Amino acid sequence: DTGVSQDPRHKITKRGQNVTFRCDPISEHNRLYWYRQTLGQGPEFLTYFQNEAQLEKSRLLSDRFSAERPKGSFSTLEIQRTEQGDSAMYLCASSNRASGRTDTQYFGPGTRLTVL
Amino acid sequence: QQQVKQSPQSLIVQKGGISIINCAYENTAFDYFPWYQQFPGKGPALLIAIRPDVSEKKEGRFTISFNKSAKQFSLHIMDSQPGDSATYFCAAGGSNYKLTFGKGTLLTVNP
């Protein structure tokens, strides 16, 4: 399978715990995005990377959230001191275009987070 | 502020019928309009996309119609099949690369 992969697929945690998710983009894709999707809503942009540089962060990304993309390959999204409101599907997407235009983003299967 | 408004919220059609989902946007800087299909428990999958230099794009049974002056675009699914039953999202993107999604339309195609 050469698509975007995410791990774990499901995570149940207790309020206050830290969690970390991983995303492996399509090979050689230089852009990687994180979105959050709650029930009955469309995905909402959180942040994106071009290679290893984090270029934009949404106001949705509080200081409890941090994302990294070391060496421009896989990415991790960490949530510290989880709250019940963090329960959502966390989606990763990747794309690969050199131009300055929005390009096709391919999504992974997501990580479903449940905070008890 | 919801930048992409999608309607209807849900849609039921009979097998073989035409499904039509509409979206409207506000930001004139958007220049990329994809539609995604999502099944329960799965990530969104790109269905078809259009840029504002054309008014229509067709791929198989799926057609996007785009009206730049009205800032509206729509998805038409011809000969709808039960396997098309899913949630459909329109989205819009601009030079900042991120996508802004509509709230989704739950499509049910009855056999």
Side-chain angles (χ1 to χ4, degrees), chain A residues 35 37 48 56 101-102 105, chain B residues 36 38 51 94 97-98:
Chain A
Y35 291 83
Q37 185 178 25
Y48 95 92
E56 186 171 345
R101 304 173 73 182
T102 304
Q105 296 182 22
Chain B
Y36 284 84
Q38 187 175 32
R51 295 194 187 273
Y97 308 120
K98 63 184 181 184

Side-chain angles (χ1 to χ4, degrees), chain B residues 14 16 30 32 47 52-53 59 61 66 69 76 93 98 100 109:
Chain B
Q14 293 299 119
F30 288 144
Y32 175 69
L47 204 56
D53 50 347
E59 291 184 1
R61 296 185 294 110
F66 183 81
S69 60
H76 294 232
K98 63 184 181 184
T100 300
V109 181

